[in-house]
Amino acid sequence: MKRIGVLTSGGDAPGMNACLRALVLTAHANELEVIGFQRGFNGVLDQEYQTLSPYHVSGIIQDGGTLLKSARCPAMHTEEGLKQAAANLHDLELDALLVIGGDGSFRGVLELAPYYQGKLLGIPGTIDNDVDGSDFSIGFATALDTALDAIDKIRDTADAFERIFLVEVMGRHTGYLAVAAGIAAGAEQIICPELASELDLDKIAEHVEQARKHRGNCSYIIVIAETMYPGGASALAVDLEQRGIECRASILGHIQRGGRPVGADRILATKLGAYAVEQLVQGAHLMMAGEINGKAGLYPLALTGDKKKQVDSYLLRWQQQVAQY
Amino acid sequence: MKRIGVLTSGGDAPGMNACLRALVLTAHANELEVIGFQRGFNGVLDQEYQTLSPYHVSGIIQDGGTLLKSARCPAMHTEEGLKQAAANLHDLELDALLVIGGDGSFRGVLELAPYYQGKLLGIPGTIDNDVDGSDFSIGFATALDTALDAIDKIRDTADAFERIFLVEVMGRHTGYLAVAAGIAAGAEQIICPELASELDLDKIAEHVEQARKHRGNCSYIIVIAETMYPGGASALAVDLEQRGIECRASILGHIQRGGRPVGADRILATKLGAYAVEQLVQGAHLMMAGEINGKAGLYPLALTGDKKKQVDSYLLRWQQQVAQY
Amino acid sequence: MKRIGVLTSGGDAPGMNACLRALVLTAHANELEVIGFQRGFNGVLDQEYQTLSPYHVSGIIQDGGTLLKSARCPAMHTEEGLKQAAANLHDLELDALLVIGGDGSFRGVLELAPYYQGKLLGIPGTIDNDVDGSDFSIGFATALDTALDAIDKIRDTADAFERIFLVEVMGRHTGYLAVAAGIAAGAEQIICPELASELDLDKIAEHVEQARKHRGNCSYIIVIAETMYPGGASALAVDLEQRGIECRASILGHIQRGGRPVGADRILATKLGAYAVEQLVQGAHLMMAGEINGKAGLYPLALTGDKKKQVDSYLLRWQQQVAQY
Amino acid sequence: MKRIGVLTSGGDAPGMNACLRALVLTAHANELEVIGFQRGFNGVLDQEYQTLSPYHVSGIIQDGGTLLKSARCPAMHTEEGLKQAAANLHDLELDALLVIGGDGSFRGVLELAPYYQGKLLGIPGTIDNDVDGSDFSIGFATALDTALDAIDKIRDTADAFERIFLVEVMGRHTGYLAVAAGIAAGAEQIICPELASELDLDKIAEHVEQARKHRGNCSYIIVIAETMYPGGASALAVDLEQRGIECRASILGHIQRGGRPVGADRILATKLGAYAVEQLVQGAHLMMAGEINGKAGLYPLALTGDKKKQVDSYLLRWQQQVAQY
């Protein structure tokens, strides 16, 4: 093994740069050349790439976003695109391709496998944390603290006005971010797919009234996962007001994707970047480098999208039990 | 003068607690008792209040929100409400009432004046900064850094995807926050009432294309003041996409109101709280305690809403000149 | 079980308040009264305490420090003190005592056991993370991000001046904080007890020269655990200068103990507080509520000080291998 | 005027990069080429420089430190060095040199003046804020918030242990940072050169005892400017303990120099960078571009070190009056 490629794909996540750094340093220690592709798979198809040496990744451990940029690449869903990508990788004499992204990106990797003769490895990088095979994905810890910081600020106004706020957080079809942010913010209610596939307006309203009975007028924060209500938190706020629950919606949006990675993300990203290269050298293929119970390990790429990982049901149940006090 | 009342009114702003602290400590040094009303003028009407001693304001200099809570008070727009408020203030033998809020709250104070025999003083507290008689209002500096922190995070994703973002900031009918955040974030475009009363979709689109011609694909951030477009940044994003400008909207919303006050706000709040009490003792009436050119001073409450203060036109013009490079 | 006591002991750690909140809410759900003692065991001896209801812990999840205050209590190292403490707990008819602190505090708990008839439970709260039976102790994650934020700032100056900095972090006799902060900051060198019991000036100097040979003049940061050098980082800086290595020392000190807890600490603190009360109700005694591999569990208090937990040797070894590039 | 040089000199300050960006963009708008020298005046002497185009300063507005690096340059204190510097500037056909730094750097500029035929302009960049001719220097606002954040954290521990802390902040021979941080942190005592040239141990101790009499045991924070006591805060802590005042010292050190610039610094830096170039084009020479009362203006370089600017005596006096409550 002499030369490997790397790209970042899907939504950017804080820590992707820390991962690139670790990966390049480890490759250098193993005398491997690293080629970084621009804009996800587009860089493979368009042959936009650069050599990445330790010099290029110096000082990027603390940067949000991704040095290599990211983008969707519809062409990779066609046979023609896949063949072209494989051909370009072969032309560059790349012995392996490492993809930092979410399970959507990993599906693309699996589709490329029949055409490409090198090794393929994934590293989980997404703030949604919805990747099986790793307790946490790169970016989740930072997104949690970003969301939390925002909710803490909203709490100030909610307290001052004894107001109800609906805060919509990211997470696609999972509630990892909603549950973590909701617990950490001391939210009065958490609405996420893991609790109920459908949202019940009556139950929400009843809970609000219950809490106000116990505690008098006070702030009340509902953390809601995106995709839980048609039209999002803004539409839900309108519908709740029609039931006499006056509330404000706040959609945190893209701020959750950016920012300097927190310590936990830099450490995870560094570990997985280093480990992935070491495992490549050892022959790993079609696997994802993840961390389970504090230890780096490999997990079949084909299983990373099975949605078997669970949110913390202990805390979720506890929150429902005590939130009214 | 023996006893004074204080309340916070209008939107909460970081630093209101620091102001309350300074005010109470200064009153204590001048042997004045302080009564704090809850929920703005509602506390006056409903007789919900508490004595505030140095003990109560210890350790609150760093807290966002307001210890006294805030709320709208429609009753203060009726003669009956004003008379009742004055009667309650007289019953409590209050020699003066201090109101921390924006120019809307100050209008309420002016309406109360004919009925109340004590002194009336205002202190500017609003993140919008739209109060004449003070270079900055309490809360503006913190809101700027909160908005900036959010835009910096959005920049990470915008860079990674070479994408255009519309970021909507608060400010009501003024562009103080939009201009400051836009300059500080290095935004490519700033849209605010001071530049043009009406927004021109063609000009926005042309500017984007111009910048992309100069710089190639890259991130591009438009900071837009709320109330500049019907339906806000989300509606604008839809309309821009119809002209072929693909962009995302991010509405920063209520996070801009909360959070720990930054140093500048704590210092301003401390100075104005201390100064206001000192001036009350000296007989000030129907004035606002503000800071101009670094010095505390009094300004007629009746003029605080004249909108004569200006955004920094030097920087705004500069930004328009260089943003395309 | 009707009434339980709680205290915070040893160095304060961010998240202790979040833990108190969870503990009180869970006790309330289980119809238990909670008595909070002031200043660690001093509050037990001096009978300074307060009842803690959900009202008292509302809104404290985000506060650093500890509502109950903390202090050393030398009297608890005497038989007389222990007997008095037990007698006071009996007088208050407390069925159990919960202690949030480090392994030093837990030793005190074990010494109290022969005299006190109620249940005794510990919860790990210390930024040092040096407690067996829990992967992380409350406060560690926040201390890491505080240290990291400081080192990132120091990096700016180190880069600007191409200078060497020695940054001393807390951790008592362990390197958890030094290793985590060093990895996350991309430090060029980490000096901690787990790597070598004694510090070798020649090796440090050699490493610096090696790195400068590879990379030219550049910033170079050494993260060093406290207690690794007599006189600390300042003395080490002086001694290194005598060998021709010009460097600056920065002792992060007490800032590492305070601040708003990050999400990870709030979640851990909430989980352990809730779990500890649930386990008390089930009869747990002389145990510590910890979290291992993401799951709450009990661990014998007597073993919490055995120092069997390890720093992440994978990352530590990796850092030594690549830091010179 | 066709080509100008720029360098950053003295201690780095957050916002220097924002200033470089504004300066380069404005030069570009005025069709001027910009040469950036590395490591302060060393880059002039060693002929280490690079052309700076808008591309080079894209995305640096938010970075701490300085792109151009900084360093002391003893050779500039010799006639030979000055002559060589001037010769090198002439060789590069530079019509002007812009220096971002403190008054020490400006003295160097004045010494260069007799030898160099181009224009010379300064921009105040130092966290110490000790430059006449500008209300604030670039970096001061950020350093204030960094110090404040640290003191807030120390307050948590001070509260938990009812302890006295001595916090030493930067500022060289002035108290701008100490006064601002002390006021904003609600410090119980501020020790700075503007209050007394010599520090009185008895008065410090008396104040502590007075406060404890008024308020009972509580946290107590003394913010002290560096250079106020031989050996600094650590030595002072030792000496205070000998008088029975148990206290801890915390030296904030170099963290105060780094970090992302806050909004106020980015705006000031942008304004001064733009203004300086515009004034150069208009013929300014031997002046500093500063901001007074919110407006950019020129001030003779020769007067910038006169130490006529004052700390906020109103707040300082107020603090002394109320701090005991």
Side-chain angles (χ1 to χ4, degrees), chain B residues 43-65:
Chain B
V44 179
L45 291 172
D46 306 342
Q47 304 192 61
E48 288 191 77
Y49 57 83
Q50 59 181 118
T51 298
L52 293 176
S53 73
Y55 171 81
H56 296 102
V57 296
S58 166
I60 68 166
I61 195 171
Q62 57 191 265
D63 293 341

Side-chain angles (χ1 to χ4, degrees), chain A residues 26 145 152 263 266 312 318, chain C residues 26 145 152 263 266 271 318:
Chain A
T26 313
D145 278 328
D152 280 356
R266 298 194 205 176
D312 194 322
W318 175 83
Chain C
T26 314
D145 278 328
D152 281 356
R266 297 194 206 178
K271 188 187 258 188
W318 175 82

Side-chain angles (χ1 to χ4, degrees), chain A residues 21-23 25-26 28-30 54 58-59 61-62 135 144-145 148-149 152-153 155-156 159 179-181 183-187 214-215 260-264 266-268 270-271 274-276 278 291-294 296 312 314-315 318 321-322 325, chain C residues 21-23 25-26 28-30 54 58-59 61-62 135 144-145 148-149 152-153 155-156 159 179-181 183-187 214-215 260-264 266-268 270-271 274-276 278 291-294 296 312 314-315 318 321-322 325:
Chain A
R21 171 183 174 267
L23 199 148
L25 292 179
T26 313
H28 189 80
N30 284 278
S58 166
I61 194 171
Q62 58 191 267
D135 290 337
L144 164 58
D145 278 328
L148 191 52
D149 190 50
D152 280 356
K153 288 187 168 76
R155 176 71 78 180
D156 283 339
D159 277 342
V179 172
I183 293 292
H214 271 87
R215 300 191 289 174
R260 291 163 92 93
V262 298
R266 298 194 205 176
I267 293 171
L268 177 65
T270 297
K271 187 187 260 188
Y275 182 76
E278 288 180 2
E291 186 192 49
I292 290 185
N293 294 340
D312 194 322
Y314 175 79
L315 281 173
W318 175 83
Q321 188 189 1
V322 306
Y325 303 136
Chain C
R21 171 183 174 268
L23 198 148
L25 292 179
T26 314
H28 189 79
N30 284 278
S58 166
I61 196 171
Q62 58 191 263
D135 290 336
L144 163 58
D145 278 328
L148 191 52
D149 190 50
D152 281 356
K153 288 188 166 76
R155 178 71 78 179
D156 283 339
D159 278 342
V179 173
I183 294 291
H214 271 88
R215 297 191 291 174
R260 293 164 90 96
V262 298
R266 297 194 206 178
I267 292 171
L268 177 65
T270 297
K271 188 187 258 188
Y275 181 76
E278 287 179 2
E291 188 192 48
I292 290 185
N293 293 342
D312 195 320
Y314 175 78
L315 282 172
W318 175 82
Q321 186 190 2
V322 305
Y325 303 135

Side-chain angles (χ1 to χ4, degrees), chain A residues 155 164-165 186-191 195 200-216 218-223 240 243 245 316-325, chain C residues 21:
Chain A
R155 176 71 78 180
I164 303 163
F165 270 90
E188 277 74 11
Q189 206 170 148
I190 298 171
I191 299 174
L195 265 181
D200 182 338
L201 280 179
D202 290 326
K203 262 179 80 178
I204 295 175
E206 192 196 314
H207 195 281
V208 170
E209 280 151 21
Q210 201 69 18
R212 298 228 149 171
K213 206 158 61 184
H214 271 87
R215 300 191 289 174
C218 58
S219 66
Y220 187 100
I221 287 180
I222 303 173
V223 173
L240 280 171
R243 297 190 178 222
I245 306 286
L316 200 48
R317 218 170 43 230
W318 175 83
Q319 196 276 339
Q320 291 189 278
Q321 188 189 1
V322 306
Q324 60 187 313
Y325 303 136
Chain C
R21 171 183 174 268

